[in-house]
């Protein structure tokens, strides 16, 4: 099948978020064709270039989301609005502004964004998309004086949020700028019908849109579903709405702007969740956020991030336990990691275990690009200042110590940079310690814990984010901001080598079962087939002249149900109506194996192409089954059809 992968600030660029798991997903699903639609965060990101793309990526379209990155050369459609288009824009934008000013809880709406204001917002959003398709880019109109006046009227109207009523002209201008950037995907030329038909078109030519995050990345998927009926899959390993809330607080915006932005992004998230066929959070923490923001529980499927386990295999299979008196912390230097509490906890540990040592191995946050949107992350200056504060506290709490009067003193706490001579390899860093510690007060999916589990190390961590879900009883968990509890847990493991080994072995087995790249790829492959089988794109087949082609889709393409699955209580011939006989599906339909396909001389690309041709119009059979049947019939010539 053909997948439209929608990204924001990541893949296929060499820098940014989510690029690694996207690359692994695309490379792992080589039987599918991928079209990449990427929104960039900065000029620096675009200048850095792309990752090396595999052959199954047949198209890449990009567009900027950063300030100043707009224009025809970046994929926006040109065209000045005429009088009729301006009136149409004013009406739609007034509806959008009214919904935002009243907030997700307006009228019958609730915290999830359901109700009258959610419907008003969705109607205005799709109307603006249709206007952009018909009349050109929305950018100048969204930044115009008329738009600001419409916002002002909406904020002053009865029913508006109390905080929004206090908005002044600078606040309205700031909010209008944020909305213009957020709605920039509506003006792209990704939704146009190409002269060559769907094969040469944009998002209308794909079988499934997979948004790698919510927010702006999912917006093209919403429009593709609206215009072409393409089903949407949304994956969020970090909830985009939560990141927006944190970023608004860190950006020192005024209260009215924060309130309006919260309402806008809340309504957008609710619409994304409502229209998505399936939503795949990366952990239970993200799942709870999505449910609170309006996601239907029946659509949620937790798919844990896949991580490369082979790089940790050597350390994980070693019999040497590492240095038994050494605690290891690995992560990004960040106030949310609460290294201050870790240092105070280590002071308590030293009272019980004088030989204990602490290695803090970290990396500074990546340099923030001009115009970038690293929501919730500290600036470069703040991170460097925090690291300096931690080093000063360590020097105060732990003076240098020496074995004798002629020995050189050493500090029991060492600060090391990953990749430096003292910490060249991540796996060796984990392997050098007896216990791995995580002291965060804010955490999403704890990658460092999973890496430690792959290495077979016992862990002590704070109960934040998805930590308990990841650990699952294979490590010790303590409350955050509690140095004494953290110290007691570490001392308990330092004094019991047998317990460390048992927990480490159990942690490695759990990580290999749940958090590998292979399980991630397998899960998404199954979800892809499920969505396409239940929500097929109905397309009209055309001949070379562009005229409708009669009888292009066989009757069995419209048979409802899983007609290749066994069923009870059926009568002969009933499988044509979506059921099978008591003996199960016909042998030619149910007994097709990979070996039979290989013997027939049909490659993966042939199967995919045949599946797109015979099953592209949709049907009850699962996507994988349709691909196999079409492939055998085409290549082997032994089908019963």
């Amino acid at each position: 099948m053909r997948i439209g992968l929608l990204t924001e600030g990541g893949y296929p660029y060499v820098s940014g978020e989510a690029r690694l798991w996207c690359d692994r997903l695309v490379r792992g699903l080589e039987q599918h064709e991928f079209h990449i639609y990427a929104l960039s965060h900065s000029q620096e990101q675009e200048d850095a270039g792309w990752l090396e793309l595999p052959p199954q990526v047949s198209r890449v379209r990009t567009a900027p989301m950063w300030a100043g990155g707009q224009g025809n050369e970046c994929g926006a459609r040109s065209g000045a609005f005429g009088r009729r288009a301006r009136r149409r824009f004013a009406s739609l934008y007034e509806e959008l502004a009214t919904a935002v000013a009243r907030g997700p809880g307006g009228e019958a709406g609730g915290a999830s964004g359901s109700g009258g204001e959610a419907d008003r917002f969705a109607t205005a959003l799709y109307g603006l998309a249709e206007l952009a398709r018909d009349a050109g880019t929305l950018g100048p109109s969204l930044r115009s004086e008329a738009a600001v006046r419409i916002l002002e009227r909406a904020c002053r109207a009865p029913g508006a949020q109390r905080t929004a009523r206090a908005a002044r002209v600078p606040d309205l201008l700031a909010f209008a700028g944020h909305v213009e950037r957020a709605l920039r995907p509506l003006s792209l030329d990704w939704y146009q019908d190409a002269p060559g038909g769907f094969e040469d078109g944009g998002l209308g030519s794909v079988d499934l849109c997979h948004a790698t995050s919510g927010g702006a990345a999912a917006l093209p998927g919403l429009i593709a579903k609206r215009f072409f009926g393409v089903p949407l899959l949304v994956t969020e390993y970090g909830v985009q709405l939560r990141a927006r809330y944190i970023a608004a607080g860190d950006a020192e915006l005024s209260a009215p702007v924060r309130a309006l932005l919260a309402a806008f992004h809340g309504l957008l998230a609710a619409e994304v969740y409502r229209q998505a066929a399936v939503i795949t959070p990366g952990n239970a923490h993200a799942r709870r956020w999505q449910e609170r923001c309006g996601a239907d529980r029946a659509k949620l499927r937790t798919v844990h991030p896949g991580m490369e386990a082979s790089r940790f295999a050597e350390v994980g299979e070693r019999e040497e336990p590492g240095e038994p008196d050494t605690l290891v912390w690995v992560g990004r230097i960040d106030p949310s990691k609460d290294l201050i509490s870790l240092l105070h906890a280590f002071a308590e540990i030293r009272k019980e275990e004088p030989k204990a040592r602490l290695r803090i191995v970290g990396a500074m946050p990546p340099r923030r690009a001009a115009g970038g949107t690293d929501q919730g992350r500290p600036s470069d200056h703040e991170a460097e200042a925090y690291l300096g504060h931690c080093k000063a506290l360590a020097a105060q709490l732990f003076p240098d110590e020496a074995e004798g009067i002629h020995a050189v003193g050493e500090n029991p706490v060492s600060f090391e940079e990953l990749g430096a001579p003292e910490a060249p390899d991540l796996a060796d860093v984990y392997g050098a310690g007896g216990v791995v510690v995580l002291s965060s007060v804010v955490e999403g999916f704890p990658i460092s814990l999973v890496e430690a589990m792959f290495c077979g190390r016992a862990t002590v961590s704070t109960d934040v984010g998805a930590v308990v879900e990841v650990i699952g009883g294979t490590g010790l968990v303590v409350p955050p901001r509690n140095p004494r509890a953290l110290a007691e847990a570490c001392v308990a493991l330092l004094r019991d080598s047998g317990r460390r080994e048992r927990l480490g072995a159990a942690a490695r087995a759990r990580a290999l079962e749940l958090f590998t790249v292979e399980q991630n790829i397998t899960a998404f492959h199954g979800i892809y087939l499920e969505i396409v089988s239940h929500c097929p794109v109905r397309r009209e087949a055309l001949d070379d002249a562009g005229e409708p082609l009669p009888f292009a889709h066989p009757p069995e393409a419209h048979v409802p149900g899983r007609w290749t699955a066994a069923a009870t209580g059926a009568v002969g011939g009933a499988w044509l109506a979506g059921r099978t006989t008591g003996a199960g599906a016909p042998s030619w339909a149910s007994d097709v194996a990979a070996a039979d396909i290989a013997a027939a001389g049909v490659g993966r690309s042939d199967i995919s192409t045949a599946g797109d041709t015979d099953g592209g119009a949709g049907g009850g059979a699962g996507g994988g089954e349709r691909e196999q049947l079409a492939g055998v019939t085409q290549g082997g010539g032994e089908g019963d059809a």
Side-chain angles (χ1 to χ4, degrees):
M1 72 182 71
R2 182 177 294 164
I3 309 298
L5 193 65
L6 313 176
T7 69
E8 180 186 6
Y11 192 75
Y13 297 104
V14 297
S15 63
E17 300 177 357
R19 65 189 186 282
L20 294 180
W21 82 262
C22 287
D23 187 58
R24 292 165 180 164
L25 176 70
V26 171
R27 293 182 182 277
L29 296 176
E30 59 183 10
Q31 68 270 45
H32 299 307
E33 178 185 354
F34 283 87
H35 291 185
I36 310 299
Y37 294 85
L39 302 173
S40 64
H41 272 175
S42 66
Q43 182 66 56
E44 289 80 359
Q45 185 179 53
E46 294 189 356
D47 293 340
W50 298 347
L51 296 169
E52 182 180 355
L53 301 178
Q56 55 265 34
V57 176
S58 61
R59 171 176 296 172
V60 178
R61 303 286 299 274
T62 64
M65 290 292 289
W66 37 279
Q70 55 196 359
N72 295 340
E73 68 278 7
C74 299
R77 298 185 64 238
S78 62
F81 283 179
R83 181 179 302 176
R84 182 177 299 178
R86 289 198 300 270
R87 287 199 300 265
R88 183 178 169 192
F89 170 82
S91 175
L92 293 169
Y93 194 69
E94 184 175 4
E95 291 292 299
L96 184 83
T98 301
V100 171
R102 294 184 178 183
E107 294 182 0
S112 64
S114 60
E117 300 311 322
D119 293 337
R120 186 195 299 267
F121 178 86
T123 300
L125 182 70
Y126 297 130
L128 289 172
E130 293 171 357
L131 176 62
R133 180 184 61 179
D134 298 338
T137 181
L138 299 173
S141 298
L142 290 170
R143 297 188 304 272
S144 65
E145 180 180 352
V148 175
R149 289 179 177 175
I150 292 173
L151 282 174
E152 185 176 18
R153 288 198 300 269
C155 291
R156 305 290 187 268
Q161 304 176 72
R162 180 179 301 177
T163 310
R165 294 175 189 172
R168 298 294 180 260
V169 173
D171 302 323
L172 298 174
L173 289 171
F175 176 69
H178 282 282
V179 170
E180 186 276 323
R181 285 191 290 273
L183 297 184
R184 198 170 290 177
L186 299 183
S187 302
L188 299 176
D189 59 354
W190 294 354
Y191 322 106
Q192 304 303 309
D193 295 336
F198 283 109
E199 292 297 323
D200 300 322
L203 284 170
S205 67
V206 303
D207 300 306
L208 168 67
C209 284
H210 184 179
T212 58
S213 67
L219 195 50
L222 284 180
I223 307 308
K225 185 177 189 299
R226 179 75 173 188
F227 289 172
F228 310 110
V230 178
L232 174 62
L233 166 65
V234 178
T235 296
E236 287 189 306
Y237 287 136
V239 180
Q240 190 70 235
L241 183 59
R242 176 178 176 271
R244 297 287 184 185
Y245 288 162
I246 295 174
D250 294 342
E252 299 182 353
L253 299 173
S254 65
V257 176
R258 290 199 303 270
L260 291 172
L261 284 176
F264 174 82
H265 290 297
L267 289 166
L268 179 58
E271 181 62 17
V272 169
Y273 295 152
R274 183 169 63 172
Q275 297 298 334
V278 174
I279 306 166
T280 54
N283 52 70
H285 178 63
R287 184 183 183 121
R288 289 192 295 270
W289 262 90
Q290 291 170 336
E291 289 182 9
R292 184 175 179 84
C293 296
D296 183 0
R297 183 174 297 181
K299 295 181 179 181
L300 297 175
R301 314 283 178 81
T302 301
V303 179
H304 296 295
M307 300 178 59
E308 190 63 52
S310 58
R311 61 185 300 196
F312 305 104
E314 181 180 354
V315 174
E317 295 172 0
R318 284 182 193 167
E319 296 184 1
E320 298 85 359
E323 300 178 13
D325 298 324
T326 300
L327 301 173
V328 174
W329 180 95
V330 178
R332 187 181 68 250
I333 302 298
D334 190 316
S336 66
K337 305 301 181 182
D338 200 12
L339 295 180
I340 302 299
S341 292
L342 177 60
L343 292 172
H344 284 292
F346 188 64
E348 299 294 327
I349 295 171
R350 290 276 293 179
K351 296 177 182 178
E352 302 292 334
E353 297 290 330
K355 294 184 178 180
R357 303 186 66 82
L358 173 63
R359 294 182 63 184
I360 297 178
V361 182
M364 298 297 292
R367 292 286 175 180
R368 180 175 297 181
T373 57
D374 297 329
Q375 292 97 348
R377 289 191 178 182
S379 64
D380 303 332
H381 175 73
E382 291 172 344
E384 292 171 358
Y386 183 74
L387 177 59
H389 179 56
C390 293
K391 290 182 177 180
L393 179 61
Q396 181 181 357
L397 293 175
F398 312 103
D400 291 349
E401 301 175 355
E403 296 288 340
I405 59 174
H406 299 293
V408 178
E410 292 184 356
N411 196 295
V413 178
S414 63
F415 289 85
E416 307 167 20
E417 186 175 356
L418 188 62
E422 63 273 12
D425 184 72
L426 185 59
D428 291 335
V429 169
Y430 288 115
V435 178
V436 176
V437 186
L438 184 142
S439 56
S440 301
V441 295
V442 176
E443 193 74 50
F445 186 84
I447 294 177
S448 61
L449 276 188
V450 178
E451 293 171 342
M453 294 167 70
F454 279 134
C455 293
R457 290 298 177 262
T459 60
V460 176
S461 50
T462 50
D463 186 5
V464 293
V467 166
V468 173
E469 179 184 2
V470 168
I471 291 297
T474 65
L476 304 186
V477 181
V478 300
R481 294 192 178 97
N482 193 331
R484 183 178 296 275
L486 188 63
E488 291 176 356
C490 291
V491 169
L493 290 183
L494 289 175
R495 290 178 174 177
D496 193 340
S497 61
R499 189 181 185 187
R500 291 199 306 270
E501 293 179 5
R502 291 193 300 272
L503 288 176
R508 175 168 169 77
R510 178 177 176 82
L512 290 175
E513 179 183 1
L514 298 178
F515 307 123
T516 61
V517 175
E518 291 74 18
Q519 67 82 22
N520 183 270
I521 292 174
T522 300
F524 277 117
H525 179 62
I527 290 173
Y528 283 178
L529 295 180
E530 177 185 354
I531 292 177
V532 172
S533 65
H534 285 83
C535 310
V537 182
R538 305 292 182 180
R539 297 195 177 104
E540 184 178 13
L542 304 177
D543 58 17
D544 295 338
E547 298 295 329
L549 191 63
F551 309 109
H553 303 296
E556 59 267 23
H558 302 282
V559 175
R562 293 180 176 273
W563 55 273
T564 57
T568 58
V571 296
W575 60 272
L576 285 173
R579 298 183 181 274
T580 59
T581 64
S587 59
W588 57 266
S590 60
D591 295 334
V592 178
D596 300 328
I597 296 174
V602 182
R604 281 183 171 176
S605 60
D606 296 326
I607 298 171
S608 176
T609 302
D612 288 343
T613 301
D614 291 340
E625 294 165 345
R626 289 200 307 270
E627 291 177 359
Q628 288 181 340
L629 293 177
V632 171
T633 304
Q634 176 183 352
E638 298 179 0
D640 290 352

